[in-house]
Amino acid sequence: METVAENRSFGGVQGVYKHASDTCGCDMTFAVYMPPQAAEAPVPVLWYLSGLTCTHENAMTKAGLQEHAALHGLAVVFPDTSPRGEGVADDEAYDLGQGAGFYVNATRDPWKPNFRMYDYVLTELRGLVTENFAVQDRHGITGHSMGGHGALTIAMRNPDRFQSLSAFAPIANPTQSDWGRKQLSAYLGDDEACWADHDATLLLEDKGWQGDILVDQGGADQFLDLLKPDALAGMMTRRRQPGTFRMQKGYDHSYFFVNSFAGDHVAWHAERLH
Amino acid sequence: METVAENRSFGGVQGVYKHASDTCGCDMTFAVYMPPQAAEAPVPVLWYLSGLTCTHENAMTKAGLQEHAALHGLAVVFPDTSPRGEGVADDEAYDLGQGAGFYVNATRDPWKPNFRMYDYVLTELRGLVTENFAVQDRHGITGHSMGGHGALTIAMRNPDRFQSLSAFAPIANPTQSDWGRKQLSAYLGDDEACWADHDATLLLEDKGWQGDILVDQGGADQFLDLLKPDALAGMMTRRRQPGTFRMQKGYDHSYFFVNSFAGDHVAWHAERLH
């Protein structure tokens, strides 16, 4: 693991690191914020998964999570959203290939060799973070848009590995959306039975979540048709899933929305992880 | 004035606007954050001047000022750092020409026709903001690096127009620095007597500031030699200038530093403007 940059931030350290990923078969860059409390004792970890077109950097610089993580004593990990590089498959569209890993393990070519973001986040990067940073084995997970999809699906499939869960404007029902059908078919093939494990609404129906879930959705989000928050909110109600679904009046899909509610989400995770 | 974008942020609106500037002789883009309190009554204004290479956008997305401005009920204005465009003079160096206006009115060609950021910020943009937004005639000013230089010099020369003043890692003594001598000589000519009006340390010696000043400086700033905080801190002491100069251990020159102390600065201005 190589240190790309470390900057002091709110009394802690915002770092960017690079490593050769076995899972993805390429170099991967990620960011970790370590709060000041970590100098005294290991802290719980909040995973923040980013959306389409993002790298580790967008949320690190725009979401404003550090201030709240420093207040509450949480580490925050910002993974990249896909494998990258010249030898890695790509597509001209912004929503397929590099920058659009969808947090699945691809089973179809040309994606299969590298696009394994599910295993990468859940296992390889988690191991690397555990080994190299002063963190407890207490993990919360959140994310925005495609990253909200990743957070919800990874957590519901691995309830033993996460103790808290939230999402910002998640892609909530990808098997029924153009943000989903295109990518799941490309990465996993046309058998839609294989897609259900990567659809938050279907997973919620099938498994639910052990704890309570916080979801924020902008009421003026320009992508409501693609995100399908109605499906998730409806299933939360029908399933009697403990949690809070908030429709936030006037907010769109941007980082200004994420930033506005970052404090609430960090506090939510801190209450459940400490 | 044309609206480029408006995003809901912390219950208020983060907007980006464009207008044809008479002062700069080109189109200028700027950002304004209006807090939720402005829906009820006009609010005071905090001017945030950015540093070398920045536009209106960097601090708007990275400095985290909105959260605190919403808490304290301040508008925040983010001007660009220079005139821009094809017809505007430029230099290959990052620290001269476009992105490097230094908040002066240039008197030398090729800069003279457009590089009038002093008048632009102090008069034209202030008029435009006053006319188009629900703001009081109460103004604070701050900035980072070249923008900290701008804030200190503009405020000290216009004590009737600003009621509060702070700076993040300002270029504090440009007449004695390579961040300053090069630009002041290009924009104002070789007569160093003309430069004194644009040097915070010299203005502090000559005029001081009516109120108290807050300055934060990262102790691990990679540009300490160019910023010359010692000159400013020393003059504050010799001049018995009321104020607070904080050397912040471990912080560098990045937005992670600005972000970490944004809350303190917004609170400082709010206390003095309300």
Side-chain angles (χ1 to χ4, degrees):
Chain A
M1 194 181 88
E2 172 196 334
T3 300
V4 177
E6 288 187 333
N7 299 85
R8 197 132 193 95
S9 166
F10 292 98
V13 177
Q14 179 60 64
V16 177
Y17 309 93
K18 197 161 84 172
H19 71 121
S21 164
D22 288 339
T23 308
C24 295
C26 63
D27 282 351
M28 293 291 284
T29 303
F30 65 100
V32 176
Y33 177 69
M34 291 303 290
Q37 294 87 341
E40 304 297 322
V43 294
V45 185
L46 175 59
W47 292 77
Y48 181 96
L49 305 185
S50 292
L52 288 165
T53 77
C54 292
T55 68
H56 67 282
E57 192 180 4
N58 306 65
M60 175 183 86
T61 56
K62 294 182 174 186
L65 291 157
Q66 293 90 352
E67 178 157 16
H68 307 289
L71 184 65
H72 293 286
L74 295 186
V76 185
V77 183
F78 305 88
D80 201 347
T81 57
S82 79
R84 294 183 191 270
E86 285 194 9
V88 175
D90 200 6
D91 188 277
E92 286 182 6
Y94 75 96
D95 61 356
L96 189 67
Q98 297 187 30
F102 259 77
Y103 305 100
V104 304
N105 294 327
T107 57
R108 300 293 153 137
D109 285 326
W111 314 108
K112 191 175 167 183
N114 306 99
F115 282 73
R116 303 181 56 78
M117 290 303 291
Y118 181 87
D119 278 357
Y120 175 70
V121 168
L122 183 65
T123 306
E124 187 179 16
L125 186 54
R126 184 172 171 128
L128 197 68
V129 166
T130 303
E131 201 173 300
N132 289 281
F133 297 88
V135 296
Q136 298 174 19
D137 189 21
R138 297 279 297 169
H139 297 260
I141 189 165
T142 188
H144 175 223
S145 195
M146 178 182 76
H149 146 78
L152 292 167
T153 55
I154 290 174
M156 282 193 274
R157 291 179 62 190
N158 300 279
D160 54 324
R161 311 206 75 186
F162 294 94
Q163 286 76 48
S164 59
L165 175 58
S166 77
F168 298 86
I171 297 178
N173 192 195
T175 62
Q176 303 301 320
S177 166
D178 287 343
W179 272 355
R181 297 187 63 83
K182 170 184 177 178
Q183 294 83 358
L184 295 173
S185 123
Y187 297 142
L188 304 177
D190 290 331
D191 178 3
E192 295 193 22
C194 301
W195 301 0
D197 271 353
H198 299 284
D199 184 301
T201 299
L202 298 180
L203 284 169
L204 188 61
E205 180 174 29
D206 181 37
K207 299 174 190 287
W209 168 252
Q210 70 218 29
D212 47 358
I213 306 174
L214 172 62
V215 179
D216 273 312
Q217 170 63 57
D221 193 310
Q222 55 271 50
F223 301 115
L224 285 169
D225 287 354
L226 293 162
L227 300 168
K228 304 209 173 293
D230 332 42
L232 183 66
M235 188 59 74
M236 283 177 74
T237 311
R238 283 200 295 288
R239 188 66 162 75
R240 313 290 187 254
Q241 170 64 47
T244 302
F245 185 101
R246 306 193 300 190
M247 186 63 73
Q248 301 286 6
K249 183 180 176 182
Y251 286 88
D252 60 29
H253 200 63
S254 69
Y255 276 98
F256 293 110
F257 158 68
V258 176
N259 189 7
S260 295
F261 301 102
D264 290 353
H265 284 247
V266 172
W268 172 277
H269 286 274
E271 279 176 26
R272 285 151 187 80
L273 293 172
H274 278 305
Chain B
M1 193 183 90
E2 171 195 334
T3 300
V4 177
E6 287 188 333
N7 299 86
R8 196 132 193 95
S9 167
F10 292 98
V13 177
Q14 178 60 64
V16 177
Y17 309 93
K18 198 162 84 174
H19 71 120
S21 164
D22 288 338
T23 308
C24 295
C26 64
D27 281 353
M28 293 291 284
T29 303
F30 65 99
V32 177
Y33 177 69
M34 291 302 291
Q37 295 86 341
E40 305 297 323
V43 294
V45 185
L46 175 59
W47 292 78
Y48 181 95
L49 304 185
S50 292
L52 288 166
T53 77
C54 290
T55 69
H56 68 282
E57 192 179 3
N58 305 64
M60 175 183 85
T61 57
K62 294 182 174 185
L65 292 158
Q66 293 89 353
E67 178 157 16
H68 307 289
L71 184 66
H72 293 286
L74 296 186
V76 185
V77 183
F78 305 87
D80 201 346
T81 58
S82 79
R84 293 181 192 272
E86 285 194 9
V88 175
D90 201 6
D91 188 278
E92 286 182 6
Y94 76 96
D95 61 357
L96 189 67
Q98 297 188 31
F102 260 78
Y103 305 101
V104 303
N105 295 328
T107 56
R108 300 292 152 138
D109 286 327
W111 313 109
K112 191 176 167 184
N114 307 100
F115 282 73
R116 304 182 55 79
M117 290 303 291
Y118 182 86
D119 278 356
Y120 175 70
V121 167
L122 183 65
T123 307
E124 185 179 18
L125 186 54
R126 184 173 172 127
L128 198 69
V129 166
T130 303
E131 200 172 302
N132 289 281
F133 297 88
V135 296
Q136 299 173 19
D137 190 21
R138 298 278 298 167
H139 298 259
I141 188 165
T142 187
H144 175 224
S145 195
M146 178 183 74
H149 146 78
L152 292 167
T153 55
I154 290 174
M156 281 192 275
R157 291 179 63 190
N158 299 278
D160 54 325
R161 311 207 75 186
F162 295 94
Q163 287 76 46
S164 59
L165 174 59
S166 78
F168 298 86
I171 298 178
N173 192 195
T175 62
Q176 302 302 320
S177 166
D178 287 342
W179 273 354
R181 297 187 62 84
K182 170 184 176 179
Q183 295 83 359
L184 296 173
S185 125
Y187 297 142
L188 304 177
D190 290 331
D191 178 3
E192 297 193 20
C194 302
W195 302 359
D197 270 353
H198 299 284
D199 183 301
T201 299
L202 298 181
L203 284 169
L204 188 61
E205 181 173 28
D206 181 37
K207 300 174 189 286
W209 168 252
Q210 71 217 31
D212 47 358
I213 306 174
L214 172 62
V215 179
D216 273 312
Q217 171 62 58
D221 194 310
Q222 57 271 49
F223 302 114
L224 285 170
D225 286 353
L226 293 162
L227 300 168
K228 305 210 173 291
D230 333 41
L232 183 66
M235 189 58 74
M236 283 177 73
T237 311
R238 283 200 296 287
R239 188 65 163 76
R240 312 291 187 252
Q241 170 64 46
T244 302
F245 185 100
R246 307 193 301 190
M247 186 62 73
Q248 301 287 5
K249 183 180 175 183
Y251 286 87
D252 59 29
H253 200 63
S254 69
Y255 276 99
F256 293 111
F257 157 68
V258 177
N259 189 7
S260 296
F261 300 102
D264 291 353
H265 284 248
V266 172
W268 172 277
H269 287 274
E271 278 175 27
R272 285 150 185 81
L273 293 172
H274 279 303

